Amino acid sequence: MHPPPPGPLGDCLRDWEELQQDFHGIQETHRLYRLKLEELTKLQNNCTSSITRQKKQLQELALVLKKCKPSLPSEAEKAAQELENQIKERQGLFFDMEAYLPKQNGLYLSLVLGNVNVTLLSKQAKFAYKDEYEKFKLYLTIILILISFTCRFLLNSRVTDAAFNFLLVWYYCTLTIRESILINNGSRIKGWWVFHHYVSTFLSGVMLTWPDGLMYQKFRNQFLSFSMYQSFVQFLQYYYQSGCLYRLRALGERHTMDLTVEGFQSWMWRGLTFLLPFLFFGHFWQLFNALTLFNLARDPECKEWQVLMCGFPFLLLFLGNFFTTLRVVHQKFHHQQHGSKKE
């Protein structure tokens, strides 16, 4: 091999030789990466099929146990109960395992994203995505407080109101997508706290299309005041729930993928009961909004379809939020009374 010529060209050729050697190393690393990726895909498929098979067998076993349980002698009831507990525990373990395996997206994610694998494969990635979701909610809540305050007290324009409602539509749509991804990755979000974001998306979309007029102006200030209060309560919930969840996770009493919610759950009983009056006041404000809209719909001058179409979602939100929160409180009181009787 000829020695490189002196000067800048020689320096370039020497650098090129070093880059060539480095490139061969990159090629080899990439080849190993692709081999490992194929091995990982095979392991994922094997694990998924094995879990699916055993879950089906567990369901059949639980069904047989349920049928034969009433006819068992008293001495066998304890063994049957232990077996039933073990089956439930195994199902919980499978739930944790499946959080690290690719799975088919639900209907909503399939419509929005297609058949894209959204399963994150490491605990760090899952927790980072969950943490980003929580920060997104916090930052948007602060922005919504500021904008609703501006619209309510500083600007009386249908354009700024439309921008606010568009932000609400985008915010709730984004929440539903992110929550669906988090559920795919092992977050245990209760059904209503997911569904009420779909209702809120629909409500915000209808508010966005409501034209300016007498009926809109009659409801405008009430809606903006409610939005301001709701965002303030959501900020309080995030602030206190995140601290409570951090302590409970450190004690091993909560799952690492548990999320803050715009409501009340059983784990909040210790330390967060002071939020209940704020929540119930907000729930009854939703009922007040629904009743106001139903009264406006009876006005002879009301021509807009949006009046009733906003009233029904507000009523649904009140019923879902109020009775879900009430059920949690009732269950907690019942468990406390049951526990004190045992003692």
Side-chain angles (χ1 to χ4, degrees), residues 136-145 171 231 234-235:
F136 170 79
K137 283 205 304 183
L138 174 64
Y139 297 153
L140 261 293
T141 299
I142 294 170
I143 291 169
L144 288 171
I145 291 173
Y171 171 62
S231 298
Q234 286 173 359
F235 174 79

Side-chain angles (χ1 to χ4, degrees), residues 96-148:
D96 291 335
M97 288 181 188
E98 286 174 327
Y100 293 90
L101 294 168
K103 57 177 74 68
Q104 288 285 345
N105 292 335
L107 177 62
Y108 181 64
L109 273 185
S110 297
L111 289 172
V112 175
L113 302 177
N115 193 25
V116 179
N117 178 28
V118 294
T119 305
L120 304 170
L121 298 180
S122 69
K123 280 186 179 180
Q124 292 81 1
K126 289 176 187 291
F127 193 79
Y129 189 79
K130 185 195 81 72
D131 193 49
E132 188 187 346
Y133 163 84
E134 300 284 16
K135 287 178 181 175
F136 170 79
K137 283 205 304 183
L138 174 64
Y139 297 153
L140 261 293
T141 299
I142 294 170
I143 291 169
L144 288 171
I145 291 173
L146 295 175
I147 295 178
S148 57

Side-chain angles (χ1 to χ4, degrees), residues 191-229:
W192 169 251
W193 304 123
V194 178
F195 180 70
H196 94 290
H197 284 154
Y198 293 95
V199 180
S200 299
T201 304
F202 175 79
L203 173 61
S204 304
V206 177
M207 286 294 300
L208 178 62
T209 64
W210 192 345
D212 198 4
L214 180 62
M215 297 300 113
Y216 178 79
Q217 289 299 326
K218 282 185 175 181
F219 185 65
R220 176 184 182 274
N221 288 345
Q222 182 175 324
F223 172 71
L224 290 171
S225 300
F226 166 76
S227 298
M228 206 166 18
Y229 177 80

Side-chain angles (χ1 to χ4, degrees), residues 141 231-242 272 274-275 278:
T141 299
S231 298
F232 169 71
V233 173
Q234 286 173 359
F235 174 79
L236 281 181
Q237 286 178 294
Y238 172 82
Y239 182 79
Y240 287 104
Q241 286 181 29
S242 56
L272 297 184
F274 73 94
L275 290 174
F278 294 98

Side-chain angles (χ1 to χ4, degrees), residues 120-329:
L120 304 170
L121 298 180
S122 69
K123 280 186 179 180
Q124 292 81 1
K126 289 176 187 291
F127 193 79
Y129 189 79
K130 185 195 81 72
D131 193 49
E132 188 187 346
Y133 163 84
E134 300 284 16
K135 287 178 181 175
F136 170 79
K137 283 205 304 183
L138 174 64
Y139 297 153
L140 261 293
T141 299
I142 294 170
I143 291 169
L144 288 171
I145 291 173
L146 295 175
I147 295 178
S148 57
F149 177 86
T150 303
C151 291
R152 173 66 179 85
F153 295 107
L154 303 178
L155 299 172
N156 188 352
S157 166
R158 187 66 186 91
V159 175
T160 51
D161 289 359
F164 173 66
N165 285 308
F166 179 79
L167 180 63
L168 284 175
V169 172
W170 174 78
Y171 171 62
Y172 286 121
C173 279
T174 307
L175 280 186
T176 56
I177 294 168
R178 291 190 180 215
E179 284 168 352
S180 297
I181 293 172
L182 285 165
I183 289 169
N184 263 26
N185 283 278
S187 287
R188 306 180 187 192
I189 313 174
K190 299 294 182 183
W192 169 251
W193 304 123
V194 178
F195 180 70
H196 94 290
H197 284 154
Y198 293 95
V199 180
S200 299
T201 304
F202 175 79
L203 173 61
S204 304
V206 177
M207 286 294 300
L208 178 62
T209 64
W210 192 345
D212 198 4
L214 180 62
M215 297 300 113
Y216 178 79
Q217 289 299 326
K218 282 185 175 181
F219 185 65
R220 176 184 182 274
N221 288 345
Q222 182 175 324
F223 172 71
L224 290 171
S225 300
F226 166 76
S227 298
M228 206 166 18
Y229 177 80
Q230 181 177 248
S231 298
F232 169 71
V233 173
Q234 286 173 359
F235 174 79
L236 281 181
Q237 286 178 294
Y238 172 82
Y239 182 79
Y240 287 104
Q241 286 181 29
S242 56
C244 187
L245 273 175
Y246 180 81
R247 290 192 299 273
L248 291 174
R249 278 196 293 263
L251 294 170
E253 295 181 18
R254 297 305 302 173
H255 195 267
T256 54
M257 292 297 287
D258 280 347
L259 305 170
T260 60
V261 296
E262 285 111 51
F264 196 83
Q265 292 184 323
S266 57
W267 59 266
M268 302 175 198
W269 194 257
R270 286 187 293 174
L272 297 184
T273 48
F274 73 94
L275 290 174
L276 283 172
F278 294 98
L279 290 174
F280 280 122
F281 183 79
H283 300 340
F284 281 105
W285 198 338
Q286 287 170 334
L287 176 63
F288 177 59
N289 288 342
L291 296 175
T292 301
L293 288 163
F294 292 147
N295 283 331
L296 288 176
R298 296 168 58 190
D299 193 310
E301 295 184 39
C302 178
K303 307 297 181 186
E304 300 95 331
W305 59 269
Q306 286 91 346
V307 178
L308 271 180
M309 283 298 103
C310 286
F312 287 119
F314 269 121
L315 181 60
L316 180 59
L317 286 171
F318 162 72
L319 293 172
N321 289 332
F322 178 72
F323 285 108
T324 303
T325 305
L326 204 62
R327 182 170 57 85
V328 172
V329 173

Side-chain angles (χ1 to χ4, degrees), residues 54-102:
Q54 185 156 135
K55 281 175 73 176
K56 186 179 178 182
Q57 292 169 345
L58 280 175
Q59 286 177 348
E60 292 171 354
L61 181 60
L63 190 62
V64 171
L65 185 62
K66 188 178 179 180
K67 287 180 179 178
C68 72
K69 203 173 179 182
S71 60
L72 288 174
S74 56
E75 59 270 13
E77 285 181 2
K78 187 177 179 182
Q81 186 60 47
E82 286 180 4
L83 180 57
E84 193 175 332
N85 293 338
Q86 287 173 353
I87 290 171
K88 287 180 182 177
E89 185 181 346
R90 181 69 54 82
Q91 288 169 339
L93 290 171
F94 282 147
F95 180 86
D96 291 335
M97 288 181 188
E98 286 174 327
Y100 293 90
L101 294 168

